Amino acid sequence: KGLTLELNGFYNEAKNLIKTNIIQHVNEGKNKTVGLEFTANYRTRKFTADLNLTWTHTFESNILLKDINDNNNTPDIMSNIVIGWQLTPHLKIHSHILFEGRQRTYNYDLVELIKYNQMIDNLEYDDLTEDDYDNIINETYTSLDKVIMNKLIPSRVIFNIGAEYQLGNITFGFNVRNLFNTYYYRSGMNTNVVPQKGCWFMFDVAYKF
């Protein structure tokens, strides 16, 4: 009683993705992803617990200048646990545990990309022998490999805790985010690895009319 379990599978397919190409946006690239998501919820009058666990796998992806066929800026495994406890009629405490597995981030190295574009612009095919052409193609692909940065972001566990105290129509809230001051990074389609916030506190007061 009070326990709910659910398992979902999903398949995502996207084409002509909106991508930033240095100074302009273009529609190109594709992405195919499968995954599983497990959720569990437990409810009583004074206690609640929620869990989700998601596995994601990208098996076909071309979002930069070549096929990557891997998760980009998305961990293979992600999980959240949220617990709430009504300690007294006026006081509720809660906690949140976030786990994000290690992930790969692929992005442009702007210096190498400029070199690559200059190389393509300077090619003259009219007087090339077949060997010259093959050498240029090989050199171009070698430069292309340098254009795509491939970095590994370690896994992390982030703890958040908080409490709410209700006094009539006024609610006082206090939250501590990243309780253990974990040093970690995130990234995105158009950004390199970016340091995230350390431990920080938030206090708020709300009045219900």
Side-chain angles (χ1 to χ4, degrees):
K1 185 178 179 180
L3 179 64
T4 302
L5 304 176
E6 186 173 332
L7 180 65
N8 292 297
F10 60 87
Y11 168 75
N12 295 330
E13 179 175 346
K15 298 178 181 179
N16 294 323
L17 300 172
I18 300 175
K19 186 184 71 174
T20 301
N21 190 7
I22 310 302
I23 59 173
Q24 62 181 351
H25 289 82
V26 294
N27 285 99
E28 64 181 34
K30 59 185 176 182
N31 191 84
K32 296 181 180 180
T33 299
V34 295
L36 292 171
E37 182 180 54
F38 170 75
T39 62
N41 307 289
Y42 181 69
R43 295 281 185 275
T44 67
R45 189 170 60 88
K46 293 186 177 182
F47 179 81
T48 61
D50 297 273
L51 163 73
N52 66 22
L53 176 66
T54 304
W55 169 77
T56 304
H57 173 64
T58 299
F59 62 92
E60 185 175 338
S61 176
N62 185 321
I63 53 176
L64 297 172
L65 294 173
K66 64 176 183 178
D67 292 330
I68 293 176
N69 301 333
D70 191 9
N71 286 357
N72 183 25
N73 298 310
T74 304
D76 294 338
I77 300 292
M78 292 181 288
S79 182
N80 291 275
I81 301 174
V82 179
I83 296 174
W85 185 17
Q86 193 72 43
L87 194 61
T88 73
H90 300 285
L91 178 62
K92 180 179 181 181
I93 60 176
H94 53 83
S95 63
H96 172 219
I97 303 173
L98 164 67
F99 171 76
E100 294 178 331
R102 66 179 187 174
Q103 66 189 71
R104 291 281 177 182
T105 174
Y106 299 87
N107 221 309
Y108 290 127
D109 184 321
L110 297 184
V111 174
E112 293 296 335
L113 182 60
I114 291 172
K115 291 180 181 178
Y116 174 81
N117 288 332
Q118 289 176 341
M119 182 182 300
I120 298 299
D121 292 339
N122 293 333
L123 290 181
E124 298 289 346
Y125 294 102
D126 295 339
D127 299 324
L128 293 180
T129 66
E130 185 174 343
D131 289 339
D132 291 335
Y133 180 80
D134 290 339
N135 290 334
I136 290 175
I137 294 299
N138 290 333
E139 185 178 354
T140 301
Y141 276 108
T142 300
S143 299
L144 182 57
D145 288 335
K146 297 179 182 178
V147 167
I148 308 301
M149 293 186 296
N150 176 359
K151 295 184 179 181
L152 179 64
I153 300 178
S155 59
R156 57 269 187 185
V157 180
I158 308 299
F159 292 84
N160 305 312
I161 60 173
E164 290 182 355
Y165 186 82
Q166 188 166 356
L167 186 62
N169 290 340
I170 302 176
T171 301
F172 300 92
F174 179 70
N175 292 278
V176 183
R177 306 293 174 85
N178 195 355
L179 177 65
F180 297 109
N181 201 30
T182 302
Y183 190 75
Y184 68 107
Y185 294 88
R186 282 205 173 102
S187 60
M189 274 291 293
N190 302 312
T191 59
N192 208 329
V193 289
V194 179
Q196 300 299 300
K197 288 182 179 180
C199 180
W200 58 287
F201 306 87
M202 182 173 65
F203 178 76
D204 62 84
V205 179
Y207 182 84
K208 184 178 181 180
F209 293 93

